[in-house]
């Protein structure tokens, strides 16, 4: 299909939606024969499409989609369940669409080359989802496949590939602003660096501090080697023992590190949130059962998977051009680990 033909198809989708008084996504689902569209609406959409001589797309039911999962995604799957919920959303949506998902884990460059070759050479695959992959070689190879590809929980800095992520930058902004409104000005940010999605969270922390006229000092960024809670606890303990307590709140790039921060502070005799407030990002289910229950920002994990497959489905039908970066909104979850700021001297004296 030429670019002009795709543009014309999109225009006619707009026209059909306007004539039927429904959204373009409803038109797309009705034309694709998906579940969840009322029979009378489906009938109206099909009749209107016929009236404007719209060429109905083939259904994606029965088509195969390759799900490529990085080693980082599989490690996460075992450790803290973020990937579990993304996959739940993917699998539920695939069942609704009648799409078969075939998972291919990749641990090294050899695996990446093999899955790209399989995708390119096997005509039964209509598209590819790539979960938690940032490596440029893999992204470049996927962009040259000539088949629809959507990144899940990652993005392509060159926009060769469409992607679906949480709005990581605004998630961290929301969390940091909650702490600032509680009076905290020295907010430590703890992260495991390396992924663009996590870099966006660091940017959101900086955005909030700068928005409120505060300085995002370099000594307020604490890097950890991995996401394990015990490493978070060790890092906080080491920092406080070596440099003292120079912050009143901690924001972590993931709930697992927040869990570790709470453990480390409590082991040193500090109260959370009485002395130090702690905020996470992710809203993993176990965070509600910590002591105290963790205040955090909810990441729509299941919706990430479902939305990515919806976008890929539209691309397979020729209904999603140009390439796009979709970010899902996140929201604050108030629990018990954040309180109004105490003066630093009061914290030290109260130990």
């Amino acid at each position: 299909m030429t670019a002009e033909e795709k543009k014309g198809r999109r225009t006619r989708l707009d026209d059909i939606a306007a004539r039927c008084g429904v959204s373009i996504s409803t038109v797309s689902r009705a034309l694709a024969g998906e579940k969840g569209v009322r029979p009378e609406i489906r009938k109206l959409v099909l009749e209107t499409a016929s009236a404007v001589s719209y060429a109905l797309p083939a259904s994606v039911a029965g088509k195969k989609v390759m799900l490529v999962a990085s080693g980082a995604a599989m490690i996460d799957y075992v450790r803290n369940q973020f990937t579990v919920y993304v996959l739940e959303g993917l699998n539920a949506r695939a069942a609704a669409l009648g799409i078969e998902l075939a998972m291919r884990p990749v641990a090294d460059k050899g695996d990446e080359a093999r899955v790209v070759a399989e995708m390119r050479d096997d005509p039964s695959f209509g598209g590819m989802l790539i979960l938690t992959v940032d490596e440029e070689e893999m992204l470049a190879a996927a962009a040259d496949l000539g088949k629809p590809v959507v990144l899940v929980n990652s993005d392509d800095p060159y926009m060769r590939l469409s992607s679906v992520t949480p709005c990581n930058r605004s998630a961290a902004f929301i969390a940091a602003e909650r702490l600032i409104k509680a009076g905290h000005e020295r907010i430590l940010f703890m992260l495991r660096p390396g992924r663009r999605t996590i870099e966006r969270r660091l940017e959101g922390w900086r955005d909030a501090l700068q928005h409120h006229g505060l300085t995002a000092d370099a000594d307020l960024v604490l890097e950890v080697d991995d996401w394990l809670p015990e490493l978070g606890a060790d890092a906080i303990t080491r920092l406080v023992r070596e440099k003292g307590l120079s912050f009143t709140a901690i924001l972590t790039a993931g709930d697992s590190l927040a869990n570790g921060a709470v453990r480390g502070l409590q082991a040193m005799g500090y109260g959370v949130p009485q002395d130090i407030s702690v905020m996470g990002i992710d809203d993993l289910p176990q965070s509600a059962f910590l002591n105290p229950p963790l205040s955090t920002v909810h990441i729509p994990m299941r919706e990430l998977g479902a939305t990515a497959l919806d976008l890929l489905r539209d691309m397979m039908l020729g209904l999603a051009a140009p390439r796009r970066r979709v970010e899902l909104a996140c929201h604050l979850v108030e629990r018990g680990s954040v309180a109004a700021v105490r003066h630093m001297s009061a914290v030290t004296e109260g130990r």
Side-chain angles (χ1 to χ4, degrees):
M1 182 182 293
T2 67
E4 196 62 31
E5 287 171 333
K6 289 180 180 178
K7 182 179 179 181
R9 171 173 281 188
R10 183 71 183 181
T11 301
R12 290 194 294 277
L13 278 179
D14 291 335
D15 187 32
I16 294 168
R19 291 188 183 208
C20 296
V22 298
S23 67
I24 292 177
S25 64
T26 297
V27 171
S28 175
R29 287 187 287 118
L31 294 177
E34 292 181 28
K35 300 175 183 177
V37 179
R38 298 201 308 272
E40 64 273 21
I41 296 296
R42 189 186 309 280
K43 182 174 182 292
L44 176 61
V45 168
L46 292 173
E47 289 174 349
T48 305
S50 177
V52 298
S53 300
Y54 180 82
L56 296 180
S59 171
V60 297
K63 297 287 180 68
K64 288 169 61 177
V65 165
M66 183 183 291
L67 173 59
V68 177
S70 70
M74 300 314 295
I75 290 171
D76 175 87
Y77 183 93
V78 173
R79 284 185 183 167
N80 65 20
Q81 300 179 321
F82 184 101
T83 302
V84 171
Y85 297 110
V86 174
L87 293 178
E88 279 187 2
L90 268 172
N91 287 323
R93 195 72 183 119
L97 296 176
I99 292 176
E100 178 186 347
L101 285 178
M103 180 175 282
R104 299 289 186 270
V106 293
D108 54 36
K109 295 186 184 301
D111 289 340
E112 292 176 0
R114 280 190 289 275
V115 298
V116 168
E118 182 184 4
M119 183 70 188
R120 182 186 60 241
D121 299 335
D122 188 341
S124 69
F125 283 108
M128 175 187 276
L129 295 169
I130 303 179
L131 176 60
T132 313
V133 171
D134 288 331
E135 286 73 20
E136 167 57 22
E137 287 186 20
M138 180 67 184
L139 301 189
D144 289 337
L145 273 172
K147 291 184 179 181
V149 178
V150 173
L151 305 179
V152 189
N153 197 37
S154 60
D155 60 58
D156 176 11
Y158 299 104
M159 287 297 291
R160 297 158 298 186
L161 299 168
S162 292
S163 60
V164 178
T165 67
C167 189
N168 290 296
R169 191 164 183 162
S170 72
F173 185 97
I174 291 167
E177 187 162 71
R178 168 67 180 91
L179 293 168
I180 292 168
K181 288 182 176 179
H184 298 279
E185 297 184 355
R186 295 281 295 176
I187 302 170
L188 186 76
F189 189 83
M190 186 190 301
L191 75 160
R192 183 200 176 179
R195 299 206 62 235
R196 279 189 293 275
T197 53
I198 301 305
E199 182 65 26
R200 301 289 178 272
R201 296 183 183 186
L202 177 61
E203 291 167 356
W205 166 79
R206 289 196 186 108
D207 289 344
L209 293 177
Q210 292 170 2
H211 178 72
H212 289 276
L214 304 173
T215 303
D217 293 332
D219 65 349
L220 287 174
V221 178
L222 178 60
E223 296 185 354
V224 183
D225 291 336
D226 208 339
W227 295 103
L228 297 172
E230 52 266 34
L231 295 184
D234 290 345
I236 283 294
T237 301
R238 188 165 51 252
L239 177 68
V240 173
R241 286 177 176 170
E242 291 178 359
K243 299 184 177 180
L245 199 65
S246 61
F247 50 87
T248 62
I250 301 171
L251 171 59
T252 70
D255 283 1
S256 58
L257 290 183
N259 181 0
V262 171
R263 291 186 199 175
L265 290 168
Q266 291 173 338
M268 288 185 288
Y270 295 106
V272 177
Q274 299 89 342
D275 297 325
I276 305 293
S277 290
V278 179
M279 173 80 72
I281 300 174
D282 280 338
D283 191 25
L284 299 173
Q286 58 265 38
S287 297
F289 300 99
L290 300 180
N291 182 25
L294 183 67
S295 296
T296 185
V297 174
H298 177 78
I299 301 296
M301 294 171 275
R302 290 182 178 89
E303 292 84 352
L304 279 179
T307 302
L309 190 55
D310 279 343
L311 177 55
L312 184 67
R313 179 267 332 258
D314 286 350
M315 293 171 66
M316 290 165 65
L317 294 171
L319 303 177
R323 294 174 183 86
R324 58 207 60 193
R325 182 174 292 164
V326 178
E327 293 187 326
L328 304 187
C330 309
H331 64 266
L332 189 68
V333 178
E334 296 272 13
R335 293 197 180 106
S337 62
V338 172
V341 68
R342 290 180 65 191
H343 192 275
M344 229 43 263
S345 60
V347 173
T348 304
E349 293 167 4
R351 286 189 60 191

